[in-house]
Each structure stands twice: as structure tokens, then as C-alpha cells.
Amino acid sequence: MVERLGRLLLALTLGLVSLALAAGDPTTLTVALSGNVETVDPHTASSRAVPFLENIYEPLVGLQGPTFELSPVLAESVDVSDDQTVYTFHLRPGVEFHDGTSLTSEAVVYSFERVREIKKGPYWAIAYLDSVEAVDDLTVRMTIRPGGPPFLQAVSMVGIVSPTAFEAGATADDKWAESWAAGNTAGTGPYVLAELVRGDRFVLEAFKPYWGGWEGPHFSRSVMLLVPEMATAQLMLERGDVDIAEQVPSDALDSLRANPAISVIERDGGVRVLYLNLNAAAGPTADPRVRKAINYAFDQAAFLEASGGSFTTTDGPVPSEFLGGYKPEIPYATFDLDEAKRLFAEAGQSNMTLDVYFTTGDQPQELAAQVLQAYLGQIGVTVNIIAQDFPAFVRAITAWGTSERSASDENFRMANFLYTPPRMPDAYAYLWYMYHSDAQGGLGRNQGFYHNQAVDDLITAGALAVDEATRQESYRAAVDLIVEDAPQVNIGTQRMIYTLRSDIGGFYIHPTWYPAIRAYPLYRTN
Amino acid sequence: MQPVDMTTFLLRRLVFMALTVLGAVTVTFVLANLVPADPARAALGPDATEAQVANYRRERGLDQPLLVQYGRYVSAMLRGDLGTSIVSRAPVAGDLGKFIPATVELLVPSLVISVVFGFVLGVGSAFFRGGVVDQLARFVSLLGLSMPVFWLGLVLQLVFFRWLGWFPAGGRLATVLSPPPNVTGFYTLDSLIAGNWQTLQSSLIHLVLPAVALATLTLGIVARMTRSSLLDVLSSNYVRTARSKGLRESVVLWKHALRNAAVPIVTVIGLRLGQMFSGAVLTETVFAWPGVGRYAFTALKQLDFPVVMGFTVWATIIYALVNLLVDLSYTVIDPRVRLE
């Protein structure tokens, strides 16, 4: 009896094991995503989810290769008026939506109107859009107010949706089908969302009538698994259960590099920068000498080493990629405790206390705060490191906008960390969102109440400039002035690291904030 | 109090349960509104304009007085409507309906493993006190009690997935397969209903590692509790009497001792069950298991209040139900216990 039971169990186990081993499928791309994608609505999704959604929804123009150059996607060409306020898009003919309808100018108008009405997701980017109208079936004209972000960059953030499908999903009290679109899709992209198991997986299947065609090697199916634990993702990658792991533990990178079955693809000089904002309006940090002293006391080399190679040096207020390679001279970027001590004394702040806020669970922020604490402690400055949950952090930084801006205000902050501005590959995003006076609180991320009228004027002049040379000139001048005022500590630039199986071809890292895993250009080499 | 019949007892307990749930909802509601964060801001992120935030508040009734919001919530809850998630816009009740079965499917085998093995180990070590079995049981329980589940999970993955390749690392189903048609929400049962052997096999094999990882802590507790409770009983007078009557040792153990030792064991199992039901967050995270614990934990981080509230309701009901079952089981185990 016992023997028979044992044999049965053995047979069952072997059966199960053989099934487990037979999991690989050459035509399917399997990806371990580290973060959750809560909604598949391209017009309400956070910037974290937008890159993933580019498998399904496409913009008129977009970032296609590994550069910041925009290329035509659903629009074949764009005519721009001389004053850069009227943009005429000529749509690609013969493009089909996943619901079988055709792409017409009406769909473009509907998509932009939807973003403007529901005021979520990429709305901030197209706030300067005045009107959008269909000229004929395949021509759309958009008129904007000057002075905003580069408009084509803004357009690249709006995915075009099928009005037929979305209107069918609308209800009386949900005119723009927000509930429907949170779990259903109808785009023009190379893949259709075939299956959505929330909290578990997304299954994408090739859309046969895709306008880009299916010539050459492609995956016909892609499974995006949510694997929250990085160590698990690493093991799955090593066994070949997943082809790409979005994130693995940083201490696993060396062993992965040594593994011939795995490629570790890295890119320096990304555009995701970590800053420590200092309050320029109130408290001891209102004195630029104190802000410079804090900069002198921050040992960037020590931070970079402690980060295990996940960060590199910074270029200054704006990554040089967006300033035509321009890197300003920053004297206080060098680590010099004596100079720091001298400046603190000169400002009469030799025994000050610095409160540094960081977001709970963000290791680089905590590490940077600790580095600062260690060195400032040596010269008599106490650093209080204060952890705060993300929602409370968001409220606090936005509540600043309505505060008295004095050290006695309950919302007063001395210093807190900030990752780059919202996703837009242009110097405007950095300059306006972080340093323009209008970006204090509310819309924008000028969380230190930095104010310099000359900087404001230069940013505005750059945004209004019609030719690129003038624009660059204004922006570089603004950067020089910001460097002089030292409104922040430049902590480090995040390196972009992806780990994938060596037999995956066509992979490149796009140097944007949250790189997309686009299945279309990828293929299996063997 | 006077002993009462079963119906009166149950009715009374159900009324208390309803009050408990209402109490928990009230406390959570108040606490959620005391958190120094703005759910509208949290949902829209730092890039949203003030107008966007105001619009959002109006849309969701977040601009109404707190008491009005509370009244609305409770009355909707009584109709089975737990609101919609701020982040995903999906109805919370529907989400719970999807995520709870995943957790329960993980929990049942894990509970079976921990109770069966824990009980056997406990009985063995009490009976052969100080012997090899006792030492082994002590070691195993100590390991189960002291090992963090996420660490154990990673070790299991390393050995049985990475090195041996016997079991998958995470998820509920192989990536090449689609879930069976949804009837119960349990992939194993739904596969049986659909007669799909492939998904049945795959969902079973995906259960092994997380269920074992989740079982260890409870196993340790059950083993220790069984041992100490049984030792207590074995040294009591009536066991000595039974032995002196010349009863066989197995009869003494199974008929006299175990039944009396069972009450504290059942209590402990009940407590653990409540905790496990309300979500094995760490296990679910390590094994990429889309269960209710991970769902609630993610929601908490994002301040998704409707989800947090809905989860509270569920967890409270489960705790109250398990307590009730434990109390009822006492009357079965020990006839001296009366319903009051």
C-alpha cells in the first residue's frame, strides 16, 4: 500500500517536473516587470506606465531609436508655421486600429480632446494647446500658445485611441470611458492586449494588420509578468524563465556579467538625476553661502562608490545631452570640508541643524543623506534624516506652494530629495519645472522656492525662441546663473542597467526616464 | 450566563460580528483621514495642476464633509459596493473577488501541510520526550519560527528552481498557459471544472514552493503547542488512572490525552489562520503571487483608500468568522464547554 502510494507520488512529481521544464517558447518574449502597471489607459497612466503602453498605443511622433530625435509614427510629416504656433500633421494612410476601424483625423482630435477634458496623465504637457481640428480625413491642425514646452515633444506623449471603441465604452456618467479604458485597449500599436490578469501579467499578441508590417524576425507574443521581488526576477532570468528582467539586485550584477547566457546592458549618462533641493526662501539655507557649504561637504565620490555603481556623476542643473554637450563649471562640486567649514562660519551657521527628508524605501536617497550626515557631522553640522511615505511626501511638497515660506510654517522644509522633472526629453522640462518661479508648488517642482528673475526671463526667452541657436544660448545662460545660486546639491545620475538573455536581439536602452520594453524591435537570435 | 441553544448563540455572535465590522470600518475611516496626505494628490502625482486636483476631489466627493463621506461609504458598503480603486478605477469588490481566491488557494494547502506535519511532530516529540524525534522536532520548529519567510522563500527558489529546476519560481501558472475559465477563482478547481489537465498540473506545481514557505511558521507553532499541551495532559491524574487501568499506551494517547490537549492547539491554529487569510504579503511578494495581501499592501503604499477600506472589511469578517469557528469547535472537542 505504502509502496504503491510512493510510486504514485513519484510519477506525479516527475510529470509535474517535466511540465515545468517545458516552459520555454521561442516565439514568446517573457519579461519580468518590477513595478505594477495599474491602468492601461494611456491618457490617465502615470509616466511609469506610459512606456509599457507604447506596445499598444502610438503617438503621432515619437522617440523610436536610442536617441532623443523624434521620428514620424502615426503622422508621416508635420508642417510647422514660422512662428511655431500652428502644427499641421499629415497622417499615415491605411493605419488600422485594433478594433478594425481606420485611423482618421477624427481619432486624433478625439484623443487630444479626451486628454484635455479628463485632465490627467500627459495633460500637463499639452496645457499650451489652444485648438485641435480636423482639416480633412488625414490632416489635423493644432494651434498652440507660445512659451510652453517644445510642442512636438508634448505630442509624443499622447497615444492615439480609437474613438469608436472608446465611445462604445462610455457611459452616461463616464463620458470619456475612463473605467472601460482602465482595463481595455484599442490602439494602433504592434501588439494587442490579449489578456490582462491584474497584479499578475499582461499578455500581448502580435496585431497582424500592424502598419509597420511583420517582415523580419519578431516575437508573436509577449508576456509581461509582475515580479515584485528583484531576487526572484534574477533567478528567473538565470534559469531562462524570463528573457528580460527589468530590475535585479545591484549586488547580483557581477555574477550576471560573468554568465555567458546573460547580457548586462548598461548606459551611462542617463537623464534621471537625483537632486537634494535646498530651501532658498527661508531658514538657514536661504543664504547661498550655506547652500554652497553643504555642496562642498557632500562627497559625491563616496556616494557613487556606496551606490555600487548604480549612479554616475552629474553635469549640473541640466544633463548636458539637452544643452548640446554643455557642462557648466561648478566650483563647489569638489569635496572640500575646509571650504565648507569656512563658508558656514562666514554665514554665521557653524552649529546649524539640517533636516533632510527622503522617501521611505528609496535607498539612493537614504544613502546620500547618510553620506551628507557623516561629513557635515565632522564640521559641527547636525543632519536629521527624516523618512516620509511617498503620498505624504507628495502632499508636503505641493502644500509648500500655499505656505508662508517661512521657517516657522508647518509645511516648511529645509531639504528634500527630488528625481528629475516629468518625462520630457528637453532642457525646458528641467529648467522650467525646477527653477522657474512659476513652478513653485502646484504645477512644477521648484520645491526650494528658488527665485531669480534673470533666470525666469532666460527660460521664457528660450521657450519663445524660434531658432535652436537662440534657444540653446538662453538656456545655457540660465544654467550658469543657477549654478552661481546653488539651489541644490547634485547627488548623482542614475545609470541605466538592463539584464536580458544573450539570445535576445534588437535590444537598446532608450535614455529616457523610464525606458520602455518594446517588444516589436526584439527577436530571438537562435 | 445561562447555556443557550445553538441558534440563539449563532444569532448573537452574528450581531456582534456586524458590530465588530462596523467598528473596524469606522476606526479605519478615521485613521485614513488622519494620515497627513491627500488622496487626490497621491492619485494624480506631483505633476498635476491645482485645477486637476480640485476636479478630482469633486468627482470623488472628497470635497464633502467627513461625516457625509462616512455615511456614503457605510450605506454603499451595506449594498455590497466597496467603491472603486483610486489608482486603477476598478471596483474594489470585484478586485477582492479576484485576489482573495488566489490567497485562499495558497493558504489551504499550506495550512494542511503545517497542521498535519506540526501535529505529527508535536505528538512524536511529546511521546518520545528527550529522544531523537523530540530533538529533531525542536530543531524543525525553531527553524520554522525563526526563519523570515522571505528568506526561506528565496532559499527554496534557489535550491528547487535555480539549481534543481523542479519547481517554478513564482506566479500561479506557466506563462505559456492561459488561466482556466473563471468559475470559483481557484485555478486548480477551475481547471478541474474545465477538465483542463495542463492548467491543473501547472497550477499545482506553482503552489508547492509558496505553500511550503508559508507553512513553516505555522508548522513550528503547531508542533510546539501540541508538544507542550500534550505533555501537560500526559502528566495529569486521569492519564495516570487510565494507564493504571492497564489501557494500552496508544489508547491512552489517542482517546484520552489528545482530545484534552486539542483545545489550545485549535486556538493557536485559529489565530494563525486569521493572520494568513488576511494576506501573506511577504510570501506573495517573493513568489509573485497575485494575492490579496500584496494587493492591499500596494494600495496602502499608494494611499488607495477605497482598497484599504475594502480590505479591512474583508480581514475583519475573516477574523470574526475564524474565531466563531474556533469557539464552535470547542464544543465538539470538549463536551464540557457550553455555549453562553
Side-chain angles (χ1 to χ4, degrees), chain B residues 112-144:
Chain B
V112 171
I113 295 172
S114 55
V115 170
V116 169
F117 285 86
F119 192 71
V120 169
L121 272 181
V123 171
S125 59
F127 208 67
F128 305 104
R129 188 175 172 188
V132 184
V133 179
D134 194 16
Q135 299 298 340
L136 182 79
R138 185 172 309 176
F139 177 72
V140 170
S141 341
L142 186 73
L143 219 60

Side-chain angles (χ1 to χ4, degrees), chain A residues 302-318:
Chain A
F303 167 76
L304 297 182
E305 201 189 320
S307 78
S310 54
F311 278 79
T312 58
T313 52
T314 49
D315 298 336
V318 178

Side-chain angles (χ1 to χ4, degrees), chain B residues 38 40-41 44-45 48-58:
Chain B
D38 177 350
R41 248 308 151 199
L44 295 174
T49 62
E50 275 310 316
Q52 276 174 275
V53 176
N55 182 37
Y56 188 88
R57 281 205 192 96
R58 203 169 40 251

Side-chain angles (χ1 to χ4, degrees), chain A residues 275 315-320 322-324 326-330 332 427-428 430-432 435 450 452 454-456 458-459 471-488 490:
Chain A
Y275 305 92
D315 298 336
V318 178
S320 56
F322 299 128
L323 294 171
Y326 178 67
K327 288 182 191 175
E329 280 292 320
I330 308 175
Y332 49 78
Y428 177 92
Y430 291 84
L431 288 168
W432 196 90
Y435 309 106
Y450 173 64
N452 182 337
V455 170
D456 286 359
L458 283 165
I459 295 171
R471 220 168 79 88
Q472 283 291 339
E473 205 180 303
S474 307
Y475 283 170
R476 287 178 189 189
V479 165
D480 287 343
L481 289 182
I482 294 165
V483 166
E484 244 169 66
D485 292 334
Q488 83 242 100
N490 303 312

Side-chain angles (χ1 to χ4, degrees), chain B residues 153-216:
Chain B
L154 288 172
V155 169
L156 288 177
Q157 286 176 338
L158 190 65
V159 175
F160 292 100
F161 168 71
R162 177 73 180 86
W163 292 344
L164 298 173
W166 289 3
F167 299 104
R172 291 179 79 187
L173 207 61
T175 51
V176 288
L177 300 174
S178 288
N182 185 20
V183 183
T184 60
F186 303 102
Y187 281 7
T188 43
L189 286 185
D190 287 351
S191 301
L192 274 177
I193 292 168
N196 189 336
W197 299 111
Q198 253 195 328
T199 53
L200 177 66
Q201 275 197 328
S202 182
S203 51
L204 278 176
I205 197 170
H206 277 79
L207 265 171
V208 177
L209 293 187
V212 168
L214 187 59
T216 46

Side-chain angles (χ1 to χ4, degrees), chain A residues 1-8:
Chain A
M1 174 65 199
V2 174
E3 198 187 325
R4 201 190 298 167
L5 192 72
R7 235 184 289 159
L8 189 75

Side-chain angles (χ1 to χ4, degrees), chain A residues 3 19 100 140 145 173 202 225 237 250 257 261 300 360 381 416 478-479:
Chain A
E3 198 187 325
L19 188 89
V140 180
R145 293 192 300 280
D173 52 357
F202 298 88
L225 295 171
L237 180 73
S250 52
R257 280 190 196 102
Q300 195 183 46
T360 315
V381 176
N416 71 268
V479 165

